[in-house]
Amino acid sequence: MHTGACIIVWWGMVNKKTAFITGIAGQDGAYLAELLLDKGYEVHGLLRWDSYVDQRDGAGRLFDLDIVSEISLHMGDLTDAQSLTGIIKKIRPSEIYNLAALSQVGVSFDVPASTLDINVKGTLAVLEAVRLLDMVETTRIYQASSSEMFGCAPAPQNENTPMQPCSPYGASKLAAYWLARTYRDAYGLYAANGILFNHESPLRGEDFVTRKITRAVAKIYEGSGEPLILGNLDSVRDWGHARDYVRGMWMMLQQDEAQDFVLATGQSKTVREFVEKAFAHIDIEIEWRGFGVRQVGCDAKNDRVLVRINENLFRPKEVNYLLGDASKAREILGWHSSYDFNALVAEMVDEDIDLLQENTSLKDDGKCRKVG
Ligand code: NDP
Ligand code: GDR
């Protein structure tokens, strides 16, 4: 090899950035890992022990994106501060993306103490590890904050909106947000909060409303007679695409100074509109009949009931209206959302139909079922 080429290879090796992603097996973790690999990063990820032991299932999204072999996975738990510190000490990452969380808002009402343990003490463990390992000068932290912190605050919400969380999840994320800000102010740590509004994708967990809807619509398209059962149809969300949002996370860590940013599309829709759009994509027009929990969504052509309401799916307290103002991210980061609502819904329904068809053909072949 020529001396010049050697220098380029050496320069690339010493300057290769190392990222550590907690929650790497989640929706955002998987897309972020893919993005960072594309940018030439060495990528490490934290996997909970059961996900680590059964990686085909626990890290299924990394297999779906075909990137698992390029990532170093570490068994651990966000709530186990000692083991987490050991992993960070070994990797000495230049960037940490703290995405691991109990992220289901409804579930947080059932297990509030676990929610706080994971989301608050877990975040503290990451911040403390960086401080105690003397990595404040060398490591930047992204903290996955959430529009749920705004709770009942009037829309549109931005970085200056007073926060009024309405769930254990929202309260936990607000505490973690303030911990990140406190470590930034007290110790000079580069810790940026991304206050992200809802973002979805074909990799979205099946217990979130968008994916629940698109899976049910795909099954109905494939001939299922089971209606879609939902809770509150009238809450309003600002839904974007996860691929756009992970790009924003990375951008937040490339600034001269750590700051907090809202990422949102600035467009809001109700759950009901999401349902209508998803069915419209398979040429079914939904007609709503009745009121309250007795309301049903019917196929306008043949009166078949396709959507029902179950009051058990309502939350003890609901965030009614979320609509983000991402002007700061647009101006400072140059970030924008590239998907519109229609494209997002269409992609999710199409992918769920493809997945069902793929699974059916695998079953017909007598082969193992693909892990979805
Ligand atoms: P997911 O629920 O898809 O992923 C969360 C990941 O965290 C899972 O892989 C889960 O692992 C992991 N995890 C949970 N508990 C622990 C633990 N104790 N130790 C280690 N790992 C753990 O969430 P998203 O990818 O959608 O979101 C990423 C982050 O962004 C979360 O913090 C979420 O709260 C936040 N956020 C998300 C938004 C969205 O719309 N998607 C909007 C705003 C904020 P396992 O799979 O093994 O359970
Ligand atoms: P959210 O997302 O709570 O906004 O949190 P989710 O998709 O769970 O709910 C959105 C809205 O839909 C209503 N809803 C239902 N929700 C679920 N999950 N299942 C149902 O059957 C159902 N029927 C109606 C909900 O009441 C709610 O109003 C997401 C998560 O990703 C958080 O981690 C993240 O911080 C926020 O987005 C921003």
Side-chain angles (χ1 to χ4, degrees), residues 130-177:
V130 170
R131 185 179 77 85
L132 294 170
L133 292 168
D134 286 330
M135 291 166 58
V136 168
E137 299 297 329
T138 54
T139 304
R140 297 180 168 199
I141 299 178
Y142 171 86
Q143 170 56 22
S145 291
S146 162
S147 54
E148 279 292 307
M149 301 185 318
F150 295 121
C152 306
Q157 296 98 358
N158 65 25
E159 295 81 1
N160 301 317
T161 303
M163 313 237 183
Q164 301 174 28
C166 295
S167 63
Y169 170 85
S172 73
K173 283 290 180 179
L174 185 55
Y177 162 92

mmCIF file of all heavy atoms in Angstrom, residues 130-177:
data_model
loop_
_atom_site.group_PDB
_atom_site.id
_atom_site.type_symbol
_atom_site.label_atom_id
_atom_site.label_comp_id
_atom_site.label_asym_id
_atom_site.label_seq_id
_atom_site.Cartn_x
_atom_site.Cartn_y
_atom_site.Cartn_z
ATOM 1 N N VAL A 130 -20.989 8.471 32.725
ATOM 2 C CA VAL A 130 -20.121 9.362 31.935
ATOM 3 C C VAL A 130 -19.362 10.314 32.862
ATOM 4 O O VAL A 130 -18.167 10.579 32.689
ATOM 5 C CB VAL A 130 -20.966 10.131 30.885
ATOM 6 C CG1 VAL A 130 -20.154 11.219 30.218
ATOM 7 C CG2 VAL A 130 -21.512 9.142 29.849
ATOM 8 N N ARG A 131 -20.038 10.805 33.893
ATOM 9 C CA ARG A 131 -19.377 11.726 34.827
ATOM 10 C C ARG A 131 -18.280 10.996 35.621
ATOM 11 O O ARG A 131 -17.143 11.441 35.684
ATOM 12 C CB ARG A 131 -20.417 12.302 35.791
ATOM 13 C CG ARG A 131 -19.866 13.358 36.735
ATOM 14 C CD ARG A 131 -20.942 13.895 37.636
ATOM 15 N NE ARG A 131 -21.282 13.002 38.727
ATOM 16 C CZ ARG A 131 -20.639 12.948 39.901
ATOM 17 N NH1 ARG A 131 -19.615 13.744 40.103
ATOM 18 N NH2 ARG A 131 -21.003 12.106 40.838
ATOM 19 N N LEU A 132 -18.637 9.833 36.190
ATOM 20 C CA LEU A 132 -17.688 9.136 37.066
ATOM 21 C C LEU A 132 -16.503 8.553 36.304
ATOM 22 O O LEU A 132 -15.425 8.387 36.851
ATOM 23 C CB LEU A 132 -18.404 8.025 37.856
ATOM 24 C CG LEU A 132 -19.439 8.545 38.858
ATOM 25 C CD1 LEU A 132 -20.269 7.403 39.427
ATOM 26 C CD2 LEU A 132 -18.769 9.336 39.978
ATOM 27 N N LEU A 133 -16.716 8.257 35.025
ATOM 28 C CA LEU A 133 -15.617 7.696 34.220
ATOM 29 C C LEU A 133 -14.762 8.803 33.582
ATOM 30 O O LEU A 133 -13.940 8.528 32.698
ATOM 31 C CB LEU A 133 -16.184 6.779 33.122
ATOM 32 C CG LEU A 133 -16.840 5.478 33.609
ATOM 33 C CD1 LEU A 133 -17.613 4.805 32.476
ATOM 34 C CD2 LEU A 133 -15.797 4.520 34.178
ATOM 35 N N ASP A 134 -14.989 10.044 33.999
ATOM 36 C CA ASP A 134 -14.234 11.199 33.457
ATOM 37 C C ASP A 134 -14.356 11.293 31.944
ATOM 38 O O ASP A 134 -13.376 11.550 31.243
ATOM 39 C CB ASP A 134 -12.741 11.111 33.846
ATOM 40 C CG ASP A 134 -12.538 11.448 35.315
ATOM 41 O OD1 ASP A 134 -13.333 12.252 35.836
ATOM 42 O OD2 ASP A 134 -11.608 10.884 35.925
ATOM 43 N N MET A 135 -15.552 11.075 31.446
ATOM 44 C CA MET A 135 -15.760 11.121 29.996
ATOM 45 C C MET A 135 -16.555 12.364 29.570
ATOM 46 O O MET A 135 -17.005 12.451 28.430
ATOM 47 C CB MET A 135 -16.482 9.844 29.538
ATOM 48 C CG MET A 135 -15.597 8.603 29.661
ATOM 49 S SD MET A 135 -16.537 7.074 29.506
ATOM 50 C CE MET A 135 -17.285 7.273 27.920
ATOM 51 N N VAL A 136 -16.687 13.317 30.503
ATOM 52 C CA VAL A 136 -17.506 14.505 30.217
ATOM 53 C C VAL A 136 -16.994 15.260 28.983
ATOM 54 O O VAL A 136 -17.767 15.763 28.177
ATOM 55 C CB VAL A 136 -17.539 15.428 31.466
ATOM 56 C CG1 VAL A 136 -18.119 16.790 31.132
ATOM 57 C CG2 VAL A 136 -18.338 14.759 32.569
ATOM 58 N N GLU A 137 -15.665 15.292 28.819
ATOM 59 C CA GLU A 137 -15.090 16.053 27.689
ATOM 60 C C GLU A 137 -15.177 15.287 26.375
ATOM 61 O O GLU A 137 -15.054 15.877 25.308
ATOM 62 C CB GLU A 137 -13.591 16.345 27.966
ATOM 63 C CG GLU A 137 -13.331 17.182 29.203
ATOM 64 C CD GLU A 137 -13.944 18.576 29.075
ATOM 65 O OE1 GLU A 137 -14.018 19.077 27.941
ATOM 66 O OE2 GLU A 137 -14.368 19.125 30.111
ATOM 67 N N THR A 138 -15.364 13.969 26.459
ATOM 68 C CA THR A 138 -15.224 13.174 25.233
ATOM 69 C C THR A 138 -16.523 12.545 24.747
ATOM 70 O O THR A 138 -16.575 12.003 23.646
ATOM 71 C CB THR A 138 -14.222 12.014 25.466
ATOM 72 O OG1 THR A 138 -14.656 11.276 26.613
ATOM 73 C CG2 THR A 138 -12.811 12.520 25.679
ATOM 74 N N THR A 139 -17.576 12.587 25.573
ATOM 75 C CA THR A 139 -18.789 11.836 25.228
ATOM 76 C C THR A 139 -20.012 12.735 25.209
ATOM 77 O O THR A 139 -20.247 13.509 26.141
ATOM 78 C CB THR A 139 -18.996 10.689 26.241
ATOM 79 O OG1 THR A 139 -17.823 9.880 26.242
ATOM 80 C CG2 THR A 139 -20.196 9.835 25.865
ATOM 81 N N ARG A 140 -20.774 12.617 24.137
ATOM 82 C CA ARG A 140 -22.010 13.398 24.007
ATOM 83 C C ARG A 140 -23.212 12.469 24.221
ATOM 84 O O ARG A 140 -23.176 11.321 23.758
ATOM 85 C CB ARG A 140 -22.084 14.045 22.623
ATOM 86 C CG ARG A 140 -20.960 15.034 22.426
ATOM 87 C CD ARG A 140 -20.987 15.704 21.071
ATOM 88 N NE ARG A 140 -20.051 16.828 21.085
ATOM 89 C CZ ARG A 140 -20.065 17.837 20.239
ATOM 90 N NH1 ARG A 140 -20.964 17.876 19.262
ATOM 91 N NH2 ARG A 140 -19.204 18.829 20.345
ATOM 92 N N ILE A 141 -24.247 12.987 24.854
ATOM 93 C CA ILE A 141 -25.411 12.138 25.166
ATOM 94 C C ILE A 141 -26.674 12.715 24.540
ATOM 95 O O ILE A 141 -26.965 13.913 24.673
ATOM 96 C CB ILE A 141 -25.606 12.014 26.691
ATOM 97 C CG1 ILE A 141 -24.379 11.370 27.338
ATOM 98 C CG2 ILE A 141 -26.864 11.200 27.017
ATOM 99 C CD1 ILE A 141 -24.448 11.249 28.850
ATOM 100 N N TYR A 142 -27.411 11.831 23.858
ATOM 101 C CA TYR A 142 -28.758 12.173 23.388
ATOM 102 C C TYR A 142 -29.751 11.547 24.342
ATOM 103 O O TYR A 142 -29.688 10.329 24.591
ATOM 104 C CB TYR A 142 -28.994 11.622 21.959
ATOM 105 C CG TYR A 142 -30.443 11.783 21.550
ATOM 106 C CD1 TYR A 142 -30.879 12.962 20.975
ATOM 107 C CD2 TYR A 142 -31.379 10.767 21.781
ATOM 108 C CE1 TYR A 142 -32.220 13.136 20.641
ATOM 109 C CE2 TYR A 142 -32.706 10.938 21.449
ATOM 110 C CZ TYR A 142 -33.121 12.117 20.879
ATOM 111 O OH TYR A 142 -34.443 12.293 20.556
ATOM 112 N N GLN A 143 -30.664 12.337 24.886
ATOM 113 C CA GLN A 143 -31.691 11.802 25.773
ATOM 114 C C GLN A 143 -33.037 11.821 25.049
ATOM 115 O O GLN A 143 -33.488 12.861 24.561
ATOM 116 C CB GLN A 143 -31.753 12.621 27.075
ATOM 117 C CG GLN A 143 -32.940 12.317 27.969
ATOM 118 C CD GLN A 143 -33.048 10.827 28.362
ATOM 119 O OE1 GLN A 143 -32.064 10.077 28.332
ATOM 120 N NE2 GLN A 143 -34.247 10.399 28.698
ATOM 121 N N ALA A 144 -33.686 10.643 25.014
ATOM 122 C CA ALA A 144 -34.960 10.500 24.295
ATOM 123 C C ALA A 144 -36.108 11.063 25.132
ATOM 124 O O ALA A 144 -36.758 10.361 25.891
ATOM 125 C CB ALA A 144 -35.207 9.024 23.966
ATOM 126 N N SER A 145 -36.317 12.357 24.998
ATOM 127 C CA SER A 145 -37.452 12.996 25.673
ATOM 128 C C SER A 145 -38.664 12.932 24.750
ATOM 129 O O SER A 145 -38.553 12.545 23.587
ATOM 130 C CB SER A 145 -37.091 14.431 26.046
ATOM 131 O OG SER A 145 -36.119 14.409 27.072
ATOM 132 N N SER A 146 -39.813 13.368 25.285
ATOM 133 C CA SER A 146 -41.051 13.057 24.569
ATOM 134 C C SER A 146 -42.079 14.184 24.639
ATOM 135 O O SER A 146 -42.169 14.902 25.646
ATOM 136 C CB SER A 146 -41.648 11.796 25.197
ATOM 137 O OG SER A 146 -42.998 11.665 24.859
ATOM 138 N N SER A 147 -42.900 14.258 23.611
ATOM 139 C CA SER A 147 -44.012 15.227 23.603
ATOM 140 C C SER A 147 -45.021 14.897 24.708
ATOM 141 O O SER A 147 -45.832 15.757 25.060
ATOM 142 C CB SER A 147 -44.712 15.210 22.244
ATOM 143 O OG SER A 147 -45.105 13.897 21.912
ATOM 144 N N GLU A 148 -44.974 13.666 25.246
ATOM 145 C CA GLU A 148 -45.860 13.332 26.364
ATOM 146 C C GLU A 148 -45.558 14.206 27.580
ATOM 147 O O GLU A 148 -46.390 14.324 28.468
ATOM 148 C CB GLU A 148 -45.707 11.860 26.751
ATOM 149 C CG GLU A 148 -46.474 10.905 25.874
ATOM 150 C CD GLU A 148 -47.993 11.020 26.035
ATOM 151 O OE1 GLU A 148 -48.472 10.931 27.168
ATOM 152 O OE2 GLU A 148 -48.678 11.194 25.021
ATOM 153 N N MET A 149 -44.391 14.817 27.624
ATOM 154 C CA MET A 149 -44.063 15.722 28.734
ATOM 155 C C MET A 149 -44.964 16.958 28.699
ATOM 156 O O MET A 149 -45.196 17.585 29.720
ATOM 157 C CB MET A 149 -42.589 16.164 28.646
ATOM 158 C CG MET A 149 -41.619 14.996 28.688
ATOM 159 S SD MET A 149 -39.863 15.434 28.734
ATOM 160 C CE MET A 149 -39.696 16.763 27.592
ATOM 161 N N PHE A 150 -45.458 17.323 27.513
ATOM 162 C CA PHE A 150 -46.349 18.493 27.416
ATOM 163 C C PHE A 150 -47.730 18.173 27.983
ATOM 164 O O PHE A 150 -48.425 19.064 28.469
ATOM 165 C CB PHE A 150 -46.506 18.943 25.961
ATOM 166 C CG PHE A 150 -45.231 19.451 25.356
ATOM 167 C CD1 PHE A 150 -44.692 18.861 24.217
ATOM 168 C CD2 PHE A 150 -44.565 20.522 25.920
ATOM 169 C CE1 PHE A 150 -43.514 19.325 23.661
ATOM 170 C CE2 PHE A 150 -43.377 21.005 25.370
ATOM 171 C CZ PHE A 150 -42.849 20.395 24.237
ATOM 172 N N GLY A 151 -48.109 16.911 27.879
ATOM 173 C CA GLY A 151 -49.390 16.479 28.437
ATOM 174 C C GLY A 151 -50.536 17.359 27.990
ATOM 175 O O GLY A 151 -50.858 17.440 26.811
ATOM 176 N N CYS A 152 -51.124 18.043 28.955
ATOM 177 C CA CYS A 152 -52.334 18.833 28.678
ATOM 178 C C CYS A 152 -52.027 20.278 28.299
ATOM 179 O O CYS A 152 -52.953 21.096 28.213
ATOM 180 C CB CYS A 152 -53.245 18.784 29.892
ATOM 181 S SG CYS A 152 -53.584 17.083 30.369
ATOM 182 N N ALA A 153 -50.771 20.625 28.082
ATOM 183 C CA ALA A 153 -50.448 22.016 27.713
ATOM 184 C C ALA A 153 -51.033 22.343 26.342
ATOM 185 O O ALA A 153 -51.081 21.476 25.463
ATOM 186 C CB ALA A 153 -48.933 22.192 27.686
ATOM 187 N N PRO A 154 -51.501 23.586 26.163
ATOM 188 C CA PRO A 154 -52.141 23.937 24.890
ATOM 189 C C PRO A 154 -51.208 23.814 23.681
ATOM 190 O O PRO A 154 -50.013 24.078 23.791
ATOM 191 C CB PRO A 154 -52.575 25.394 25.088
ATOM 192 C CG PRO A 154 -52.038 25.836 26.386
ATOM 193 C CD PRO A 154 -51.485 24.680 27.127
ATOM 194 N N ALA A 155 -51.782 23.412 22.545
ATOM 195 C CA ALA A 155 -51.011 23.241 21.298
ATOM 196 C C ALA A 155 -51.001 24.566 20.529
ATOM 197 O O ALA A 155 -51.908 25.380 20.723
ATOM 198 C CB ALA A 155 -51.680 22.155 20.464
ATOM 199 N N PRO A 156 -50.031 24.805 19.653
ATOM 200 C CA PRO A 156 -48.880 23.947 19.349
ATOM 201 C C PRO A 156 -47.820 24.061 20.433
ATOM 202 O O PRO A 156 -47.649 25.113 21.042
ATOM 203 C CB PRO A 156 -48.379 24.515 18.017
ATOM 204 C CG PRO A 156 -48.794 25.942 18.018
ATOM 205 C CD PRO A 156 -50.071 26.019 18.795
ATOM 206 N N GLN A 157 -47.094 22.926 20.641
ATOM 207 C CA GLN A 157 -46.102 22.891 21.715
ATOM 208 C C GLN A 157 -44.684 23.019 21.129
ATOM 209 O O GLN A 157 -44.378 22.403 20.110
ATOM 210 C CB GLN A 157 -46.220 21.567 22.480
ATOM 211 C CG GLN A 157 -47.542 21.366 23.215
ATOM 212 C CD GLN A 157 -48.561 20.515 22.462
ATOM 213 O OE1 GLN A 157 -48.306 20.086 21.344
ATOM 214 N NE2 GLN A 157 -49.722 20.278 23.059
ATOM 215 N N ASN A 158 -43.862 23.841 21.809
ATOM 216 C CA ASN A 158 -42.452 23.922 21.412
ATOM 217 C C ASN A 158 -41.569 23.903 22.664
ATOM 218 O O ASN A 158 -42.061 23.634 23.756
ATOM 219 C CB ASN A 158 -42.186 25.148 20.529
ATOM 220 C CG ASN A 158 -42.406 26.449 21.273
ATOM 221 O OD1 ASN A 158 -42.305 26.501 22.497
ATOM 222 N ND2 ASN A 158 -42.715 27.493 20.538
ATOM 223 N N GLU A 159 -40.280 24.198 22.489
ATOM 224 C CA GLU A 159 -39.321 24.061 23.590
ATOM 225 C C GLU A 159 -39.677 24.961 24.778
ATOM 226 O O GLU A 159 -39.228 24.720 25.904
ATOM 227 C CB GLU A 159 -37.892 24.396 23.113
ATOM 228 C CG GLU A 159 -37.309 23.448 22.075
ATOM 229 C CD GLU A 159 -37.789 23.754 20.650
ATOM 230 O OE1 GLU A 159 -38.565 24.719 20.454
ATOM 231 O OE2 GLU A 159 -37.389 23.019 19.725
ATOM 232 N N ASN A 160 -40.464 26.021 24.535
ATOM 233 C CA ASN A 160 -40.773 26.966 25.620
ATOM 234 C C ASN A 160 -42.128 26.716 26.280
ATOM 235 O O ASN A 160 -42.515 27.452 27.191
ATOM 236 C CB ASN A 160 -40.753 28.403 25.075
ATOM 237 C CG ASN A 160 -39.396 28.725 24.490
ATOM 238 O OD1 ASN A 160 -38.379 28.384 25.090
ATOM 239 N ND2 ASN A 160 -39.372 29.332 23.313
ATOM 240 N N THR A 161 -42.850 25.714 25.798
ATOM 241 C CA THR A 161 -44.178 25.441 26.347
ATOM 242 C C THR A 161 -44.033 24.832 27.752
ATOM 243 O O THR A 161 -43.246 23.901 27.932
ATOM 244 C CB THR A 161 -44.923 24.430 25.433
ATOM 245 O OG1 THR A 161 -44.965 24.979 24.121
ATOM 246 C CG2 THR A 161 -46.324 24.157 25.934
ATOM 247 N N PRO A 162 -44.779 25.347 28.732
ATOM 248 C CA PRO A 162 -44.713 24.738 30.073
ATOM 249 C C PRO A 162 -45.210 23.296 30.032
ATOM 250 O O PRO A 162 -46.201 23.008 29.364
ATOM 251 C CB PRO A 162 -45.666 25.604 30.910
ATOM 252 C CG PRO A 162 -45.898 26.826 30.112
ATOM 253 C CD PRO A 162 -45.692 26.483 28.666
ATOM 254 N N MET A 163 -44.509 22.426 30.730
ATOM 255 C CA MET A 163 -44.836 20.995 30.633
ATOM 256 C C MET A 163 -45.845 20.585 31.713
ATOM 257 O O MET A 163 -45.703 20.976 32.862
ATOM 258 C CB MET A 163 -43.556 20.185 30.791
ATOM 259 C CG MET A 163 -42.437 20.735 29.935
ATOM 260 S SD MET A 163 -41.788 19.558 28.827
ATOM 261 C CE MET A 163 -40.457 20.447 28.035
ATOM 262 N N GLN A 164 -46.825 19.796 31.305
ATOM 263 C CA GLN A 164 -47.867 19.336 32.242
ATOM 264 C C GLN A 164 -48.168 17.864 31.964
ATOM 265 O O GLN A 164 -49.217 17.544 31.409
ATOM 266 C CB GLN A 164 -49.162 20.123 32.024
ATOM 267 C CG GLN A 164 -49.053 21.611 32.210
ATOM 268 C CD GLN A 164 -50.369 22.308 31.830
ATOM 269 O OE1 GLN A 164 -51.440 21.734 31.921
ATOM 270 N NE2 GLN A 164 -50.260 23.541 31.400
ATOM 271 N N PRO A 165 -47.223 16.963 32.293
ATOM 272 C CA PRO A 165 -47.435 15.557 31.930
ATOM 273 C C PRO A 165 -48.685 14.971 32.581
ATOM 274 O O PRO A 165 -49.082 15.401 33.659
ATOM 275 C CB PRO A 165 -46.177 14.855 32.451
ATOM 276 C CG PRO A 165 -45.568 15.782 33.436
ATOM 277 C CD PRO A 165 -45.980 17.166 33.044
ATOM 278 N N CYS A 166 -49.283 13.995 31.886
ATOM 279 C CA CYS A 166 -50.563 13.410 32.337
ATOM 280 C C CYS A 166 -50.471 11.923 32.592
ATOM 281 O O CYS A 166 -51.501 11.247 32.634
ATOM 282 C CB CYS A 166 -51.611 13.588 31.254
ATOM 283 S SG CYS A 166 -52.026 15.248 30.913
ATOM 284 N N SER A 167 -49.275 11.359 32.665
ATOM 285 C CA SER A 167 -49.162 9.908 32.872
ATOM 286 C C SER A 167 -47.856 9.644 33.615
ATOM 287 O O SER A 167 -46.939 10.478 33.587
ATOM 288 C CB SER A 167 -49.095 9.185 31.513
ATOM 289 O OG SER A 167 -47.924 9.593 30.822
ATOM 290 N N PRO A 168 -47.738 8.473 34.249
ATOM 291 C CA PRO A 168 -46.449 8.121 34.863
ATOM 292 C C PRO A 168 -45.319 8.179 33.823
ATOM 293 O O PRO A 168 -44.215 8.628 34.119
ATOM 294 C CB PRO A 168 -46.682 6.692 35.371
ATOM 295 C CG PRO A 168 -48.157 6.650 35.640
ATOM 296 C CD PRO A 168 -48.784 7.481 34.549
ATOM 297 N N TYR A 169 -45.627 7.749 32.596
ATOM 298 C CA TYR A 169 -44.609 7.818 31.538
ATOM 299 C C TYR A 169 -44.171 9.270 31.304
ATOM 300 O O TYR A 169 -42.975 9.578 31.284
ATOM 301 C CB TYR A 169 -45.154 7.210 30.243
ATOM 302 C CG TYR A 169 -44.255 7.456 29.046
ATOM 303 C CD1 TYR A 169 -43.179 6.625 28.775
ATOM 304 C CD2 TYR A 169 -44.480 8.534 28.179
ATOM 305 C CE1 TYR A 169 -42.339 6.853 27.689
ATOM 306 C CE2 TYR A 169 -43.646 8.773 27.091
ATOM 307 C CZ TYR A 169 -42.586 7.933 26.848
ATOM 308 O OH TYR A 169 -41.748 8.178 25.775
ATOM 309 N N GLY A 170 -45.152 10.161 31.137
ATOM 310 C CA GLY A 170 -44.835 11.573 30.879
ATOM 311 C C GLY A 170 -44.033 12.172 32.026
ATOM 312 O O GLY A 170 -43.057 12.898 31.805
ATOM 313 N N ALA A 171 -44.442 11.835 33.249
ATOM 314 C CA ALA A 171 -43.731 12.367 34.421
ATOM 315 C C ALA A 171 -42.305 11.821 34.474
ATOM 316 O O ALA A 171 -41.358 12.545 34.789
ATOM 317 C CB ALA A 171 -44.494 11.996 35.689
ATOM 318 N N SER A 172 -42.135 10.544 34.132
ATOM 319 C CA SER A 172 -40.785 9.950 34.174
ATOM 320 C C SER A 172 -39.880 10.602 33.131
ATOM 321 O O SER A 172 -38.713 10.871 33.380
ATOM 322 C CB SER A 172 -40.856 8.434 33.949
ATOM 323 O OG SER A 172 -41.143 8.129 32.590
ATOM 324 N N LYS A 173 -40.450 10.850 31.945
ATOM 325 C CA LYS A 173 -39.632 11.469 30.884
ATOM 326 C C LYS A 173 -39.268 12.906 31.249
ATOM 327 O O LYS A 173 -38.202 13.396 30.892
ATOM 328 C CB LYS A 173 -40.391 11.420 29.557
ATOM 329 C CG LYS A 173 -40.364 10.044 28.898
ATOM 330 C CD LYS A 173 -38.973 9.702 28.370
ATOM 331 C CE LYS A 173 -38.887 8.353 27.713
ATOM 332 N NZ LYS A 173 -37.563 8.035 27.190
ATOM 333 N N LEU A 174 -40.178 13.584 31.971
ATOM 334 C CA LEU A 174 -39.872 14.958 32.379
ATOM 335 C C LEU A 174 -38.748 14.967 33.417
ATOM 336 O O LEU A 174 -37.845 15.810 33.356
ATOM 337 C CB LEU A 174 -41.137 15.634 32.931
ATOM 338 C CG LEU A 174 -40.990 17.121 33.280
ATOM 339 C CD1 LEU A 174 -40.467 17.928 32.094
ATOM 340 C CD2 LEU A 174 -42.332 17.693 33.744
ATOM 341 N N ALA A 175 -38.778 14.000 34.337
ATOM 342 C CA ALA A 175 -37.694 13.916 35.334
ATOM 343 C C ALA A 175 -36.355 13.639 34.638
ATOM 344 O O ALA A 175 -35.332 14.266 34.950
ATOM 345 C CB ALA A 175 -38.007 12.823 36.351
ATOM 346 N N ALA A 176 -36.375 12.723 33.666
ATOM 347 C CA ALA A 176 -35.135 12.390 32.951
ATOM 348 C C ALA A 176 -34.633 13.595 32.147
ATOM 349 O O ALA A 176 -33.422 13.857 32.076
ATOM 350 C CB ALA A 176 -35.380 11.195 32.033
ATOM 351 N N TYR A 177 -35.577 14.318 31.557
ATOM 352 C CA TYR A 177 -35.241 15.542 30.805
ATOM 353 C C TYR A 177 -34.495 16.523 31.715
ATOM 354 O O TYR A 177 -33.456 17.074 31.360
ATOM 355 C CB TYR A 177 -36.564 16.125 30.289
ATOM 356 C CG TYR A 177 -36.555 17.572 29.859
ATOM 357 C CD1 TYR A 177 -36.302 17.928 28.536
ATOM 358 C CD2 TYR A 177 -36.872 18.590 30.768
ATOM 359 C CE1 TYR A 177 -36.334 19.263 28.136
ATOM 360 C CE2 TYR A 177 -36.913 19.914 30.380
ATOM 361 C CZ TYR A 177 -36.642 20.244 29.069
ATOM 362 O OH TYR A 177 -36.693 21.556 28.676
#
